[in-house]
């Protein structure tokens, strides 16, 4: 006879589906926006794209991906920074973040059976579900952080020169931090540059939030599973005979 008991867990399938669909919309929309950025800056500088006044400068926007030409009296943007596509990307990102965070927070609770939002499941099933969420979100965080900050592990004096043979012209590391993964590099010409774009360093830290929530949910599920397992083992031990 099985000693496992039936408990409750929130139905999060719809939330995960919403997060997946909105993530797909963000990827597709960002791809369209990136294509729209191609040579947009060149068209501005060559006068093919007109704006209010003379061209002042050209800059790239991280999200939604867009090239923005700043004119004297206003801005002109590629497709990602204007109109329907920009609204779609921001809306999809908002839906993805809300669905993801709500789904992960729901995994931290242990609701009673009953109601449309609760589905019966064992402690082992809940542990497997939260473990999968923690593995996926943690892996994404680790991969992005490693991509953004691998140079930081070369040592304080070698952050800016790691990964290339600079010889005697290696850039100096003026300052660096692990959270967020960032460093300021100074070259022999005196010019300074950030190791990572600010948006990339921020993204690496923001991805720690879902990984942390998933980790809390997994830790709670593991603790509840262990408590139930110990209780089942104690119930399985036969009582000693008082006449012996």
């Amino acid at each position: 006879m099985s000693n496992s008991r039936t408990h409750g867990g929130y139905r999060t399938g719809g939330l995960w589906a919403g997060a997946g669909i909105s993530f797909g919309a963000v990827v597709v929309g960002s791809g369209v926006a990136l294509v729209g950025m191609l040579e947009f800056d060149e068209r501005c500088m060559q006068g093919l794209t007109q704006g209010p006044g003379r061209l002042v400068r050209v800059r790239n926007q991280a999200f939604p991906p867009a090239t923005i030409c700043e004119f004297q009296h206003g801005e002109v943007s590629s497709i990602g920074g204007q109109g329907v596509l920009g609204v779609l990307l921001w809306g999809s990102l908002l839906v993805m973040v809300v669905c993801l965070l709500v789904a992960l927070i729901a995994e931290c609770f242990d609701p009673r059976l009953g109601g449309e939002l609760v589905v019966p499941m064992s402690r082992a099933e809940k542990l497997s579900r939260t473990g999968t969420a923690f593995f996926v979100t943690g892996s994404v965080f680790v991969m992005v952080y490693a991509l953004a900050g691998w140079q930081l592990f070369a040592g304080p004096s070698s952050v800016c020169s790691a990964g290339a043979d600079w010889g005697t012209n290696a850039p100096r590391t003026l300052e660096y931090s692990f959270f967020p993964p960032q460093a300021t590099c100074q070259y022999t010409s005196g010019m300074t540059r950030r190791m990572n774009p600010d948006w990339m360093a921020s993204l690496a830290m923001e991805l720690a939030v879902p990984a942390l929530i998933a980790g809390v949910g997994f830790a709670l599920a593991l603790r509840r599973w262990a408590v139930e397992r110990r209780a089942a083992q104690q119930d399985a031990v036969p009582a000693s005979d008082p006449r012996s």
Side-chain angles (χ1 to χ4, degrees), residues 206-217:
E206 290 162 1
L207 288 174
V209 175
L212 179 61
I213 297 174
V216 171

Side-chain angles (χ1 to χ4, degrees), residues 68-85:
I68 299 175
C69 300
E70 297 182 1
F71 292 89
Q72 189 175 6
H73 302 296
E75 299 178 345
V76 177
S77 172
S78 62
I79 187 173
Q82 60 182 340
V84 176
L85 183 58

Side-chain angles (χ1 to χ4, degrees), residues 108-110 123 126 220-228:
C108 297
F109 294 96
D110 191 31
R123 292 297 189 200
K126 188 66 177 287
L220 290 173
L222 180 62
R223 179 178 178 275
R224 293 163 183 158
W225 172 80
V227 169
E228 183 176 276

Side-chain angles (χ1 to χ4, degrees), residues 61-186:
Q61 178 177 278
F63 188 87
T67 297
I68 299 175
C69 300
E70 297 182 1
F71 292 89
Q72 189 175 6
H73 302 296
E75 299 178 345
V76 177
S77 172
S78 62
I79 187 173
Q82 60 182 340
V84 176
L85 183 58
V87 175
L88 172 65
L89 284 171
W90 276 117
S92 298
L93 181 65
L94 178 62
V95 171
M96 181 184 72
V97 170
V98 170
C99 289
L100 177 63
L101 293 183
V102 173
L104 291 175
I105 291 173
E107 297 295 353
C108 297
F109 294 96
D110 191 31
R112 293 184 179 182
L113 291 173
E116 296 181 357
L117 297 178
V118 179
V119 60
M121 63 175 55
S122 67
R123 292 297 189 200
E125 291 172 332
K126 188 66 177 287
L127 183 63
S128 176
R129 196 166 80 166
T130 56
T132 300
F134 181 45
F135 175 77
V136 172
T137 55
S139 297
V140 172
F141 166 69
V142 169
M143 286 189 294
V144 174
Y145 187 90
L147 180 64
W150 66 269
Q151 292 171 260
L152 295 169
F153 299 97
S157 62
S158 304
V159 171
C160 293
S161 59
D165 185 13
W166 292 92
T168 57
N169 298 316
R172 293 173 53 216
T173 303
L174 300 182
E175 58 182 16
Y176 73 99
S177 66
F178 285 94
F179 300 98
Q182 189 61 278
T184 301
C185 306
Q186 184 180 49

